[in-house]
Amino acid sequence: MDNILEVSGLAKRYPSFAVDNLSFSLPEGCVTGFIGANGAGKTTTIRAILGLARKDAGKIKVFGLDADRHGRAIRDRIGIVMDGSYFYDELSMKEMKSIIAPAYSQWSDSDYRAYMDRFGLDPKQKISTLSSGMKMKFALVLALSHRAELLIMDEPTSGLDPLVRSQFLEIIMDYMKNGGRGVFFSSHIISDLDKVADMLILIDSGKIVFQRSRDELLDAFRTVKGNAAQLNEDTRSLIRSLKVSPFGFTGLTDRAEELKKKMPEALLERASLEDIMLAYIGGGNDENR
Ligand code: ATP
């Protein structure tokens, strides 16, 4: 499987924040969720990848092409969904489309009309009167209508109601049915990632914490509950996000077999992606804080 996007040693430094030495890659055929707490550096990373903010270091390759040298060819093949601030408020969606469409060699007006219908958008409506969710939908319509091979989206589902979110996820799954494509999107909505993401990249304080497949993560982790009297130095070292209360303890482990041998009475259950994310970004064990 080829990599559709490769990021190596990426750095973008602001006076009081930096993403530094980020390296990761997106295999073709994968939906990759980019997750992290508020202010972790997701938007900064996406902007640096897209050349919307000048990177301070690093190499970006898209479709195997160096982004510094082939920016134009790459832009023709990627769809970007960021907040809708790059639209002209005084235009209708149809007028905005007429400005954007000629920039793309693969633009399809019939796809455009089909997606506008599917999202219930009226092309004659003025952009200034769209809700933030409608703007996001319109941005997605434009990205899909030029038959992009890679979609890069910054929190595309955040302003959408549950019904539209589920439509959006269906569209992403449909989109991936054609081979040779990839999706990279940041999100706080773990349930969305649970539905569509094959791969997850976690960023914290400007650094990549992990890049792992969703199935691998779900296989690796178990929630653990038990009686606090069973805890000792040895067993504590096997548990992340340990919370101890008068009623017992809860936590998360990626060493379930070992723990089961040492604490046969402990209750081990499948963890959710949310449990796993919180264990990484929500801080350490109670007593280490
Ligand atoms: P959220 O989930 O809240 O959208 P994020 O992970 O996308 O957060 P970023 O928007 O990348 O986070 O912001 C990371 C940090 O970089 C923040 O502390 C922010 O203030 C800072 N930052 C972002 N853009 C700039 C800028 N143009 N100049 C200075 N600092 C910036």
Side-chain angles (χ1 to χ4, degrees):
M1 206 187 306
D2 288 337
N3 287 328
I4 206 157
L5 171 70
E6 283 173 34
V7 174
S8 46
L10 178 66
K12 172 72 198 167
R13 301 179 193 107
Y14 292 122
S16 56
F17 178 82
V19 295
D20 215 358
N21 202 17
L22 302 190
S23 298
F24 56 87
S25 47
L26 267 58
E28 190 184 298
C30 258
V31 176
T32 303
F34 191 38
I35 50 177
N38 287 131
K42 300 180 294 298
T43 301
T44 303
T45 305
I46 290 177
R47 288 176 58 79
I49 289 174
L50 294 172
L52 299 172
R54 217 173 58 193
K55 58 183 162 51
D56 293 305
K59 272 229 162 307
I60 313 285
K61 275 185 163 187
V62 190
F63 314 116
L65 302 171
D66 181 337
D68 288 337
R69 288 193 289 135
H70 301 276
R72 212 185 152 85
I74 290 170
R75 272 194 297 280
D76 193 36
R77 296 168 65 187
I78 59 177
I80 301 169
V81 178
M82 309 278 287
D83 69 22
S85 49
Y86 58 89
F87 297 140
Y88 298 132
D89 269 356
E90 66 280 11
L91 300 183
S92 67
M93 287 186 272
K94 188 174 174 206
E95 289 164 334
M96 191 73 222
K97 183 269 296 188
S98 311
I99 293 179
I100 288 176
Y104 294 103
S105 64
Q106 300 291 314
W107 181 268
S108 159
D109 244 12
S110 62
D111 285 8
Y112 164 78
R113 283 193 296 273
Y115 283 120
M116 289 293 278
D117 262 6
R118 191 159 171 186
F119 273 146
L121 294 173
D122 172 3
K124 292 195 280 310
Q125 192 170 348
K126 235 175 147 181
I127 287 170
S128 59
T129 66
L130 300 177
S131 69
S132 55
M134 289 163 98
K135 275 191 192 159
M136 197 53 96
K137 288 199 267 181
F138 182 53
L140 184 63
V141 168
L142 296 177
L144 293 167
S145 302
H146 72 85
R147 300 185 169 166
E149 293 153 67
L150 168 64
L151 296 181
I152 298 187
M153 303 184 278
D154 194 14
E155 295 192 29
T157 55
S158 65
L160 305 180
D161 66 47
L163 184 68
V164 178
R165 261 194 9 242
S166 104
Q167 263 183 325
F168 167 86
L169 298 175
E170 262 172 45
I171 286 178
I172 295 301
M173 285 187 273
D174 273 359
Y175 170 81
M176 290 306 291
K177 283 182 189 154
N178 283 323
R181 292 181 163 180
V183 173
F184 180 60
F185 79 109
S186 68
S187 181
H188 288 294
I189 306 174
I190 306 285
S191 59
D192 289 352
L193 297 167
D194 219 352
K195 287 189 190 121
V196 297
D198 307 294
M199 185 84 82
L200 292 162
I201 297 177
L202 174 65
I203 183 169
D204 193 29
S205 305
K207 301 240 176 336
I208 300 292
V209 179
F210 65 67
Q211 168 170 15
R212 292 177 80 172
S213 86
R214 185 194 57 168
D215 293 348
E216 185 187 296
L217 274 172
L218 292 173
D219 280 348
F221 284 93
R222 293 288 178 271
T223 58
V224 49
K225 292 178 191 155
N227 185 331
Q230 300 166 316
L231 289 169
N232 56 38
E233 205 178 320
D234 194 22
T235 50
R236 277 169 193 267
S237 70
L238 303 176
I239 303 173
R240 290 166 180 268
S241 316
L242 180 64
K243 308 270 183 295
V244 184
S245 77
F247 308 106
F249 74 87
T250 60
L252 194 81
T253 183
D254 57 354
R255 291 161 75 181
E257 290 300 316
E258 225 175 309
L259 195 63
K260 193 76 199 159
K261 280 193 197 121
K262 292 181 174 164
M263 287 179 126
E265 281 96 68
L267 182 64
L268 288 154
E269 288 173 338
R270 213 172 153 78
S272 67
L273 274 185
E274 186 132 2
D275 295 330
I276 300 168
M277 296 311 132
L278 287 173
Y280 274 98
I281 60 179
N285 297 348
D286 271 355
E287 49 263 64
N288 296 338
R289 286 188 188 174

